[in-house]
């Protein structure tokens, strides 16, 4: 269970105290505030705060005085134009702040996106909880035989059981020893900044993560993608649901031009043109390597 | 006058429509929203949006679930501790979005602070207004004779008059020619992206500028400083007034530890220690160069 | 003439003093060092320093100990793979430092790319030279009638002459007054930080600009593009020539997958698939707006 | 041992092949190239590449054509001036690329410095080595009783032995299970991206880290400080030795104005002034909290 009853109560008390503001308000996003969305076995994502809405994007694009155009259809048209033509600065005018609880190995991937602000729970200062990510049966996958950094079918039977046993037992033992090492009963107690190094990478940590909409969409494009590791993709998917309600025009444009779109190389573009003229194009006369040709065929279906 | 009656009316309509939100609200900052604060002869700064308040800083510092400590004095104590020890990430959890109208030569200094988001009015796309910064009499200063990048006393008499005449006449003529060149009456009309290059650097531009509190305070430390050029300092001063009302604890800590504080070099620190022991310290036995000694003496009064 | 004889002599002296190094050396780039490549009427780009080469990209991708693979073909294959799949961090491992002389209005566009290091000549501290960009006849273009931020055909006849006369005369007059205002003969002399604001945006400035290869390629994709303003495109084109010699594999991959490639939207991709199956697709049944359809048709030729 | 004989041989072969270059060369830094400096029990830092030297800093500050002033003393004076007055952009004109092998918990602290480029060894793609950080006896410290995020005296006797046994045994067992889980002998083999999560935070990883001199000095000021965790401080100390030889003027200025210097608050500055006038100042009349006063007294010795 991601949140304790105390935490839940504290959050619910905050939910019951709306205040007045003159700022842009996104009704869709207000509904997400103070709701922690569960992810994996002990993790969650919750929106702590946000700045701006769809109209804030067009307002900045026009460097205008008021809230953008009167006409909603114009706002959406402009947002689609901006997305299509890679005008990224207006999307940077929206900001979101998330509170995320996630396994350390996911945090290590996530933090590679540097254009964001982060405050992580400090294991030098505080004691970590006994919470570890243990995959569900269908997420316990074999190494992919075609992709060096991917996974294949789910493990089964004894192999699956042994893996789960190792993951659980090693985590529990490591945590027992962690507690024992930092204990000050009858001993000095190891420094927390050292003891933490005994803990495996499936332990949960948490942080505040603040990012602008442009960089968030870039993160989502990479991490909500089918090539991303499952354990980070579920976080990205959960965030997608929030963004969809926060800035619906921007999110729809993002789906059309980024998530659902594709990039063709110069060679790929040339092949499409030749094929549309009725020419027979094969890998041999395509100007592409075998790998590229395979990817190209996957693309044009 | 910075705002036209139309713009003023549009802004005032928005002021009259408060909405409910579950986000952190800073009452001090709400009072600034939709008020354009005049700066220089045609410029202004106005807050368009903000995220967070003092409590949001401590909340992130504690990666806590609720609104920070119960006790306000604890919140201020923690904020002062964070500021004193250069823990910058909790301050990054607040964000502000400003709409600024400013002369181009000020914009060129401002943009050197790169950790911010910017949307500037496009002179490729749109036509600039006939608005130029012309200094007040007391800002019309001579080159400093001691500081290569500073200014001295105000110019007077004929010299001052001639300078003002040049600034005004050259700006008006340049703008007349700008208009004439882009006009399509009886001619093709020069591209706006070319015509703009005839305009001098005291013409006004405007932008949306979004920045986190940590980077904003860094900007203010440099630009609200007495060594900053007067024409950017007045913008920084205006923003200081807003930040003071937005995050009063953080702003007070900033004044005590950054604006009002000073950095001593290893040699300066050693000299202070020797002087406090009653030793006679001179430039010769201080280990400092003449320039450093002069700055040091200015510091310790 | 971009460089004075003195500057030329200083640079040439440095060219004649090669030194030994154990670092990665790019022979193609060494040939560019200390050659200022002229751009526009008074500008230039010159490489001051660089870090890394093609092998440095693969070395970082593999976090390897030595200089990458033995086989050159493998290096190129890996670089193409990295570019195709948007693995940007290995390209960030190469760095370039340029000295650029450019008109202020070009500098203002350029600086919008924030992930770079910049040192610009200070007009608060120093006196600017009397050098202004005046377009060649064929660059003196009319406002585009179809694109709000583009240009059309070249102006001709009297209109062209008048524009050139305005640009030249206004610049000369502004500079005369600039010199007169800062002069200390028989007067105090206006502060340089104020006097500079009388100068139009076609005056030349210069800076040192340092950027990693990934961000440089992003800059080139936007600025060497046909939609970029001509006056910045010529700088981007000049830099392309250098990059081609510096990291030939990376540059070729960039041409194939970025410059020569294209992004299809979800709707565009779907249309291509339908068309390849022999279906008749029109704007009406394409799911695209008229603007998108026009762009799509331009793409697939 | 940080490097295998093969790696050592590969590096040494590269050392024996100096090439000619026209770029700025730092003789002090050349001596470090291809020498892996051991840190902790299995870690190291080695310079892979660098850009610039002391003269490159002054060259950029002056936006000059050649290599800076003729006079070395002038270069040092300018560098000290730039450091003293927080003019950071010229220091950004130097760049360094390091290859670092370090425990994961150190890497997690390190990566919080975001203004750098990183390529880390991928445990999704590759198999990690059986190498774990086990502290030396004198680094096996108790939790500090005065500082929540610090450490006290070294543990001794049985307690120390038990900690070491836990750290070693848990690491070995976790690695045994890691190997067993990914093995494909007689089973499918768990995906590497999942198996890695069983490994504790004292396992070694490695990365290429590239950063400019300004941001590197900021990193060193925080991480070579006595308040930094010992296990990252030893890396910072090792890098300090390299920087000292790379840019001796800049490093000396850094020691005088940053590392050896101190920041006084407004209240602290006022107290120093009063004390120098002979006034008796106590915590009560200082305007400081007890914590601040204690830090202040530590400072003025």
């Amino acid at each position: 269970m991601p949140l304790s009853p105390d935490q839940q109560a504290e959050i619910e008390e905050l939910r019951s105290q709306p205040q007045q503001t003159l700022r842009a308000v996104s009704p869709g996003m207000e509904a997400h505030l103070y709701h922690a969305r569960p992810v994996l076995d002990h993790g969650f994502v919750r929106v702590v705060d946000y700045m701006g809405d769809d109209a804030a994007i067009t307002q900045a694009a026009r460097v205008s005085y008021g809230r953008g155009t009167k006409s909603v259809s114009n706002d959406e048209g402009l947002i689609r134009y901006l997305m299509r033509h890679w005008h990224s600065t207006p999307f940077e005018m929206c900001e979101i702040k998330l509170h995320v609880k996630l396994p350390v190995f996911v945090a290590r991937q996530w933090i590679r996106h540097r254009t964001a602000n982060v405050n992580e729970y400090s294991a030098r200062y505080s004691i970590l909880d006994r919470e570890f990510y243990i995959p569900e049966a269908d997420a316990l996958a074999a190494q992919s035989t075609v992709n060096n950094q991917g996974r294949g079918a789910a493990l089964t039977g004894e192999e699956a059981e042994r893996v789960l046993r190792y993951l659980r037992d090693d985590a529990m033992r490591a945590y027992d020893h962690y507690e024992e090492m930092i204990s000050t009963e009858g001993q000095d107690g190891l420094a927390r900044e050292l003891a933490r190094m005994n803990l495996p990478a499936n332990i949960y940590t948490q942080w505040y993560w603040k990012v602008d909409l442009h960089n968030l969409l870039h993160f989502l494009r990479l991490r909500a993608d089918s090539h991303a590791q499952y354990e980070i993709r579920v976080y990205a998917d959960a965030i997608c649901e929030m963004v969809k309600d926060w800035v619906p025009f921007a999110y729809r444009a993002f789906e059309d031009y980024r998530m659902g779109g594709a990039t063709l190389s110069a060679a790929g573009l040339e092949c499409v043109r030749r094929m549309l003229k009725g020419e027979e194009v094969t890998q041999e006369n395509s100007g592409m390597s075998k790998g590229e040709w395979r990817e190209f065929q996957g693309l044009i279906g």
Side-chain angles (χ1 to χ4, degrees), chain A residues 130 132 165-181 195 198-200:
Chain A
R130 187 192 283 268
F132 296 88
R165 197 172 61 242
Y166 282 165
L167 291 177
R168 276 195 203 110
D169 291 357
D170 288 355
M172 287 306 117
R173 188 185 301 105
Y175 195 84
D176 288 344
H177 291 168
Y178 170 68
E179 277 190 318
E180 232 185 280
M181 291 190 286
N198 200 50
L199 297 166

PDB file of all heavy atoms in Angstrom, chain A residues 130 132 165-181 195 198-200:
ATOM      1  N   ARG A 130      11.184  -0.380   4.701  1.00  0.00           N
ATOM      2  CA  ARG A 130      11.356  -1.743   4.204  1.00  0.00           C
ATOM      3  C   ARG A 130      10.349  -1.989   3.076  1.00  0.00           C
ATOM      4  O   ARG A 130       9.345  -2.685   3.231  1.00  0.00           O
ATOM      5  CB  ARG A 130      11.119  -2.739   5.349  1.00  0.00           C
ATOM      6  CG  ARG A 130      11.430  -4.201   5.004  1.00  0.00           C
ATOM      7  CD  ARG A 130      10.886  -5.137   6.077  1.00  0.00           C
ATOM      8  NE  ARG A 130      11.703  -5.174   7.283  1.00  0.00           N
ATOM      9  CZ  ARG A 130      12.681  -6.048   7.485  1.00  0.00           C
ATOM     10  NH1 ARG A 130      12.960  -6.951   6.584  1.00  0.00           N
ATOM     11  NH2 ARG A 130      13.363  -6.016   8.617  1.00  0.00           N
ATOM     12  N   PHE A 132      10.264  -2.958  -1.111  1.00  0.00           N
ATOM     13  CA  PHE A 132      11.041  -3.358  -2.277  1.00  0.00           C
ATOM     14  C   PHE A 132      10.102  -3.724  -3.418  1.00  0.00           C
ATOM     15  O   PHE A 132       9.023  -4.259  -3.176  1.00  0.00           O
ATOM     16  CB  PHE A 132      11.906  -4.577  -1.936  1.00  0.00           C
ATOM     17  CG  PHE A 132      12.926  -4.286  -0.881  1.00  0.00           C
ATOM     18  CD1 PHE A 132      12.616  -4.422   0.469  1.00  0.00           C
ATOM     19  CD2 PHE A 132      14.200  -3.855  -1.233  1.00  0.00           C
ATOM     20  CE1 PHE A 132      13.554  -4.144   1.452  1.00  0.00           C
ATOM     21  CE2 PHE A 132      15.138  -3.570  -0.252  1.00  0.00           C
ATOM     22  CZ  PHE A 132      14.825  -3.700   1.094  1.00  0.00           C
ATOM     23  N   ARG A 165      12.024 -15.857  -5.196  1.00  0.00           N
ATOM     24  CA  ARG A 165      12.552 -16.176  -3.873  1.00  0.00           C
ATOM     25  C   ARG A 165      13.851 -15.395  -3.626  1.00  0.00           C
ATOM     26  O   ARG A 165      14.045 -14.803  -2.573  1.00  0.00           O
ATOM     27  CB  ARG A 165      12.787 -17.677  -3.780  1.00  0.00           C
ATOM     28  CG  ARG A 165      12.934 -18.180  -2.342  1.00  0.00           C
ATOM     29  CD  ARG A 165      12.968 -19.684  -2.283  1.00  0.00           C
ATOM     30  NE  ARG A 165      14.095 -20.228  -3.032  1.00  0.00           N
ATOM     31  CZ  ARG A 165      13.981 -21.043  -4.093  1.00  0.00           C
ATOM     32  NH1 ARG A 165      12.817 -21.414  -4.541  1.00  0.00           N
ATOM     33  NH2 ARG A 165      15.071 -21.465  -4.714  1.00  0.00           N
ATOM     34  N   TYR A 166      14.727 -15.394  -4.622  1.00  0.00           N
ATOM     35  CA  TYR A 166      15.980 -14.646  -4.478  1.00  0.00           C
ATOM     36  C   TYR A 166      15.701 -13.165  -4.219  1.00  0.00           C
ATOM     37  O   TYR A 166      16.269 -12.555  -3.319  1.00  0.00           O
ATOM     38  CB  TYR A 166      16.828 -14.784  -5.746  1.00  0.00           C
ATOM     39  CG  TYR A 166      17.567 -16.094  -5.873  1.00  0.00           C
ATOM     40  CD1 TYR A 166      18.114 -16.481  -7.095  1.00  0.00           C
ATOM     41  CD2 TYR A 166      17.730 -16.947  -4.785  1.00  0.00           C
ATOM     42  CE1 TYR A 166      18.806 -17.677  -7.240  1.00  0.00           C
ATOM     43  CE2 TYR A 166      18.410 -18.153  -4.909  1.00  0.00           C
ATOM     44  CZ  TYR A 166      18.951 -18.514  -6.139  1.00  0.00           C
ATOM     45  OH  TYR A 166      19.626 -19.690  -6.276  1.00  0.00           O
ATOM     46  N   LEU A 167      14.850 -12.602  -5.053  1.00  0.00           N
ATOM     47  CA  LEU A 167      14.587 -11.160  -4.929  1.00  0.00           C
ATOM     48  C   LEU A 167      14.032 -10.835  -3.546  1.00  0.00           C
ATOM     49  O   LEU A 167      14.470  -9.890  -2.896  1.00  0.00           O
ATOM     50  CB  LEU A 167      13.609 -10.693  -6.012  1.00  0.00           C
ATOM     51  CG  LEU A 167      14.155 -10.701  -7.453  1.00  0.00           C
ATOM     52  CD1 LEU A 167      13.054 -10.294  -8.441  1.00  0.00           C
ATOM     53  CD2 LEU A 167      15.353  -9.752  -7.608  1.00  0.00           C
ATOM     54  N   ARG A 168      13.060 -11.636  -3.103  1.00  0.00           N
ATOM     55  CA  ARG A 168      12.451 -11.379  -1.790  1.00  0.00           C
ATOM     56  C   ARG A 168      13.431 -11.612  -0.653  1.00  0.00           C
ATOM     57  O   ARG A 168      13.610 -10.763   0.216  1.00  0.00           O
ATOM     58  CB  ARG A 168      11.252 -12.294  -1.596  1.00  0.00           C
ATOM     59  CG  ARG A 168       9.984 -11.763  -2.209  1.00  0.00           C
ATOM     60  CD  ARG A 168       8.763 -12.503  -1.672  1.00  0.00           C
ATOM     61  NE  ARG A 168       7.683 -12.352  -2.649  1.00  0.00           N
ATOM     62  CZ  ARG A 168       7.222 -13.339  -3.402  1.00  0.00           C
ATOM     63  NH1 ARG A 168       7.729 -14.559  -3.312  1.00  0.00           N
ATOM     64  NH2 ARG A 168       6.248 -13.094  -4.268  1.00  0.00           N
ATOM     65  N   ASP A 169      14.081 -12.753  -0.672  1.00  0.00           N
ATOM     66  CA  ASP A 169      14.935 -13.122   0.454  1.00  0.00           C
ATOM     67  C   ASP A 169      16.150 -12.197   0.557  1.00  0.00           C
ATOM     68  O   ASP A 169      16.519 -11.772   1.655  1.00  0.00           O
ATOM     69  CB  ASP A 169      15.404 -14.577   0.322  1.00  0.00           C
ATOM     70  CG  ASP A 169      14.255 -15.550   0.508  1.00  0.00           C
ATOM     71  OD1 ASP A 169      13.129 -15.092   0.801  1.00  0.00           O
ATOM     72  OD2 ASP A 169      14.485 -16.766   0.345  1.00  0.00           O
ATOM     73  N   ASP A 170      16.756 -11.910  -0.580  1.00  0.00           N
ATOM     74  CA  ASP A 170      17.937 -11.046  -0.532  1.00  0.00           C
ATOM     75  C   ASP A 170      17.567  -9.652  -0.032  1.00  0.00           C
ATOM     76  O   ASP A 170      18.318  -9.031   0.730  1.00  0.00           O
ATOM     77  CB  ASP A 170      18.592 -10.945  -1.918  1.00  0.00           C
ATOM     78  CG  ASP A 170      19.283 -12.259  -2.293  1.00  0.00           C
ATOM     79  OD1 ASP A 170      19.325 -13.171  -1.438  1.00  0.00           O
ATOM     80  OD2 ASP A 170      19.779 -12.360  -3.430  1.00  0.00           O
ATOM     81  N   ALA A 171      16.405  -9.168  -0.464  1.00  0.00           N
ATOM     82  CA  ALA A 171      15.953  -7.846  -0.019  1.00  0.00           C
ATOM     83  C   ALA A 171      15.696  -7.843   1.491  1.00  0.00           C
ATOM     84  O   ALA A 171      16.146  -6.947   2.207  1.00  0.00           O
ATOM     85  CB  ALA A 171      14.693  -7.427  -0.776  1.00  0.00           C
ATOM     86  N   MET A 172      15.005  -8.875   1.959  1.00  0.00           N
ATOM     87  CA  MET A 172      14.688  -8.926   3.383  1.00  0.00           C
ATOM     88  C   MET A 172      15.954  -9.044   4.220  1.00  0.00           C
ATOM     89  O   MET A 172      16.119  -8.366   5.226  1.00  0.00           O
ATOM     90  CB  MET A 172      13.759 -10.113   3.693  1.00  0.00           C
ATOM     91  CG  MET A 172      12.324  -9.909   3.213  1.00  0.00           C
ATOM     92  SD  MET A 172      11.553  -8.383   3.807  1.00  0.00           S
ATOM     93  CE  MET A 172      11.279  -7.521   2.237  1.00  0.00           C
ATOM     94  N   ARG A 173      16.848  -9.896   3.797  1.00  0.00           N
ATOM     95  CA  ARG A 173      18.078 -10.077   4.555  1.00  0.00           C
ATOM     96  C   ARG A 173      18.893  -8.775   4.556  1.00  0.00           C
ATOM     97  O   ARG A 173      19.402  -8.345   5.589  1.00  0.00           O
ATOM     98  CB  ARG A 173      18.905 -11.218   3.968  1.00  0.00           C
ATOM     99  CG  ARG A 173      20.111 -11.570   4.847  1.00  0.00           C
ATOM    100  CD  ARG A 173      21.002 -12.614   4.210  1.00  0.00           C
ATOM    101  NE  ARG A 173      20.310 -13.852   3.929  1.00  0.00           N
ATOM    102  CZ  ARG A 173      19.924 -14.246   2.713  1.00  0.00           C
ATOM    103  NH1 ARG A 173      20.137 -13.481   1.652  1.00  0.00           N
ATOM    104  NH2 ARG A 173      19.317 -15.394   2.555  1.00  0.00           N
ATOM    105  N   ALA A 174      19.001  -8.146   3.383  1.00  0.00           N
ATOM    106  CA  ALA A 174      19.755  -6.892   3.293  1.00  0.00           C
ATOM    107  C   ALA A 174      19.147  -5.841   4.218  1.00  0.00           C
ATOM    108  O   ALA A 174      19.859  -5.084   4.883  1.00  0.00           O
ATOM    109  CB  ALA A 174      19.762  -6.379   1.845  1.00  0.00           C
ATOM    110  N   TYR A 175      17.821  -5.813   4.260  1.00  0.00           N
ATOM    111  CA  TYR A 175      17.171  -4.814   5.119  1.00  0.00           C
ATOM    112  C   TYR A 175      17.347  -5.158   6.602  1.00  0.00           C
ATOM    113  O   TYR A 175      17.582  -4.274   7.429  1.00  0.00           O
ATOM    114  CB  TYR A 175      15.689  -4.667   4.781  1.00  0.00           C
ATOM    115  CG  TYR A 175      15.107  -3.409   5.380  1.00  0.00           C
ATOM    116  CD1 TYR A 175      15.239  -2.183   4.725  1.00  0.00           C
ATOM    117  CD2 TYR A 175      14.490  -3.424   6.627  1.00  0.00           C
ATOM    118  CE1 TYR A 175      14.754  -1.027   5.293  1.00  0.00           C
ATOM    119  CE2 TYR A 175      14.004  -2.265   7.202  1.00  0.00           C
ATOM    120  CZ  TYR A 175      14.127  -1.070   6.529  1.00  0.00           C
ATOM    121  OH  TYR A 175      13.656   0.092   7.094  1.00  0.00           O
ATOM    122  N   ASP A 176      17.263  -6.456   6.940  1.00  0.00           N
ATOM    123  CA  ASP A 176      17.532  -6.866   8.328  1.00  0.00           C
ATOM    124  C   ASP A 176      18.925  -6.383   8.750  1.00  0.00           C
ATOM    125  O   ASP A 176      19.100  -5.809   9.829  1.00  0.00           O
ATOM    126  CB  ASP A 176      17.485  -8.391   8.456  1.00  0.00           C
ATOM    127  CG  ASP A 176      16.067  -8.933   8.360  1.00  0.00           C
ATOM    128  OD1 ASP A 176      15.114  -8.127   8.494  1.00  0.00           O
ATOM    129  OD2 ASP A 176      15.910 -10.149   8.136  1.00  0.00           O
ATOM    130  N   HIS A 177      19.879  -6.601   7.898  1.00  0.00           N
ATOM    131  CA  HIS A 177      21.258  -6.221   8.236  1.00  0.00           C
ATOM    132  C   HIS A 177      21.411  -4.697   8.288  1.00  0.00           C
ATOM    133  O   HIS A 177      22.170  -4.168   9.099  1.00  0.00           O
ATOM    134  CB  HIS A 177      22.216  -6.839   7.226  1.00  0.00           C
ATOM    135  CG  HIS A 177      22.314  -8.335   7.350  1.00  0.00           C
ATOM    136  ND1 HIS A 177      22.914  -9.140   6.418  1.00  0.00           N
ATOM    137  CD2 HIS A 177      21.858  -9.176   8.324  1.00  0.00           C
ATOM    138  CE1 HIS A 177      22.833 -10.402   6.800  1.00  0.00           C
ATOM    139  NE2 HIS A 177      22.190 -10.452   7.951  1.00  0.00           N
ATOM    140  N   TYR A 178      20.723  -4.023   7.401  1.00  0.00           N
ATOM    141  CA  TYR A 178      20.707  -2.547   7.412  1.00  0.00           C
ATOM    142  C   TYR A 178      20.232  -2.051   8.770  1.00  0.00           C
ATOM    143  O   TYR A 178      20.879  -1.230   9.428  1.00  0.00           O
ATOM    144  CB  TYR A 178      19.785  -2.071   6.288  1.00  0.00           C
ATOM    145  CG  TYR A 178      19.428  -0.603   6.245  1.00  0.00           C
ATOM    146  CD1 TYR A 178      20.378   0.381   5.953  1.00  0.00           C
ATOM    147  CD2 TYR A 178      18.100  -0.187   6.448  1.00  0.00           C
ATOM    148  CE1 TYR A 178      20.011   1.722   5.877  1.00  0.00           C
ATOM    149  CE2 TYR A 178      17.732   1.149   6.379  1.00  0.00           C
ATOM    150  CZ  TYR A 178      18.695   2.105   6.087  1.00  0.00           C
ATOM    151  OH  TYR A 178      18.334   3.434   6.012  1.00  0.00           O
ATOM    152  N   GLU A 179      19.107  -2.606   9.214  1.00  0.00           N
ATOM    153  CA  GLU A 179      18.566  -2.200  10.521  1.00  0.00           C
ATOM    154  C   GLU A 179      19.516  -2.533  11.650  1.00  0.00           C
ATOM    155  O   GLU A 179      19.718  -1.736  12.571  1.00  0.00           O
ATOM    156  CB  GLU A 179      17.234  -2.918  10.769  1.00  0.00           C
ATOM    157  CG  GLU A 179      16.055  -2.220  10.114  1.00  0.00           C
ATOM    158  CD  GLU A 179      14.715  -2.799  10.580  1.00  0.00           C
ATOM    159  OE1 GLU A 179      14.623  -4.046  10.676  1.00  0.00           O
ATOM    160  OE2 GLU A 179      13.795  -2.004  10.843  1.00  0.00           O
ATOM    161  N   GLU A 180      20.081  -3.718  11.554  1.00  0.00           N
ATOM    162  CA  GLU A 180      20.997  -4.151  12.608  1.00  0.00           C
ATOM    163  C   GLU A 180      22.235  -3.251  12.655  1.00  0.00           C
ATOM    164  O   GLU A 180      22.721  -2.885  13.727  1.00  0.00           O
ATOM    165  CB  GLU A 180      21.427  -5.584  12.304  1.00  0.00           C
ATOM    166  CG  GLU A 180      21.248  -6.551  13.468  1.00  0.00           C
ATOM    167  CD  GLU A 180      21.806  -7.916  13.101  1.00  0.00           C
ATOM    168  OE1 GLU A 180      21.120  -8.675  12.392  1.00  0.00           O
ATOM    169  OE2 GLU A 180      22.935  -8.203  13.532  1.00  0.00           O
ATOM    170  N   MET A 181      22.745  -2.882  11.488  1.00  0.00           N
ATOM    171  CA  MET A 181      23.974  -2.075  11.439  1.00  0.00           C
ATOM    172  C   MET A 181      23.757  -0.673  11.981  1.00  0.00           C
ATOM    173  O   MET A 181      24.634  -0.111  12.627  1.00  0.00           O
ATOM    174  CB  MET A 181      24.510  -2.024  10.002  1.00  0.00           C
ATOM    175  CG  MET A 181      25.045  -3.375   9.508  1.00  0.00           C
ATOM    176  SD  MET A 181      25.954  -3.272   7.931  1.00  0.00           S
ATOM    177  CE  MET A 181      24.615  -3.019   6.760  1.00  0.00           C
ATOM    178  N   ALA A 195      25.464   2.625   5.784  1.00  0.00           N
ATOM    179  CA  ALA A 195      24.604   1.449   5.884  1.00  0.00           C
ATOM    180  C   ALA A 195      23.726   1.282   4.652  1.00  0.00           C
ATOM    181  O   ALA A 195      23.453   0.161   4.201  1.00  0.00           O
ATOM    182  CB  ALA A 195      23.737   1.553   7.133  1.00  0.00           C
ATOM    183  N   ASN A 198      24.187  -1.176   1.565  1.00  0.00           N
ATOM    184  CA  ASN A 198      23.886  -2.612   1.569  1.00  0.00           C
ATOM    185  C   ASN A 198      22.542  -2.918   0.894  1.00  0.00           C
ATOM    186  O   ASN A 198      22.227  -4.075   0.657  1.00  0.00           O
ATOM    187  CB  ASN A 198      23.854  -3.122   3.010  1.00  0.00           C
ATOM    188  CG  ASN A 198      24.037  -4.627   3.095  1.00  0.00           C
ATOM    189  OD1 ASN A 198      24.972  -5.167   2.503  1.00  0.00           O
ATOM    190  ND2 ASN A 198      23.128  -5.311   3.796  1.00  0.00           N
ATOM    191  N   LEU A 199      21.779  -1.883   0.600  1.00  0.00           N
ATOM    192  CA  LEU A 199      20.407  -2.098   0.115  1.00  0.00           C
ATOM    193  C   LEU A 199      20.365  -2.229  -1.405  1.00  0.00           C
ATOM    194  O   LEU A 199      21.006  -1.467  -2.115  1.00  0.00           O
ATOM    195  CB  LEU A 199      19.517  -0.946   0.577  1.00  0.00           C
ATOM    196  CG  LEU A 199      19.377  -0.850   2.110  1.00  0.00           C
ATOM    197  CD1 LEU A 199      18.773   0.484   2.518  1.00  0.00           C
ATOM    198  CD2 LEU A 199      18.550  -2.012   2.628  1.00  0.00           C
ATOM    199  N   PRO A 200      19.588  -3.195  -1.898  1.00  0.00           N
ATOM    200  CA  PRO A 200      19.541  -3.432  -3.345  1.00  0.00           C
ATOM    201  C   PRO A 200      18.720  -2.359  -4.082  1.00  0.00           C
ATOM    202  O   PRO A 200      17.967  -1.592  -3.479  1.00  0.00           O
ATOM    203  CB  PRO A 200      18.884  -4.803  -3.467  1.00  0.00           C
ATOM    204  CG  PRO A 200      18.068  -4.947  -2.231  1.00  0.00           C
ATOM    205  CD  PRO A 200      18.796  -4.199  -1.151  1.00  0.00           C
TER     206      PRO A 200
END
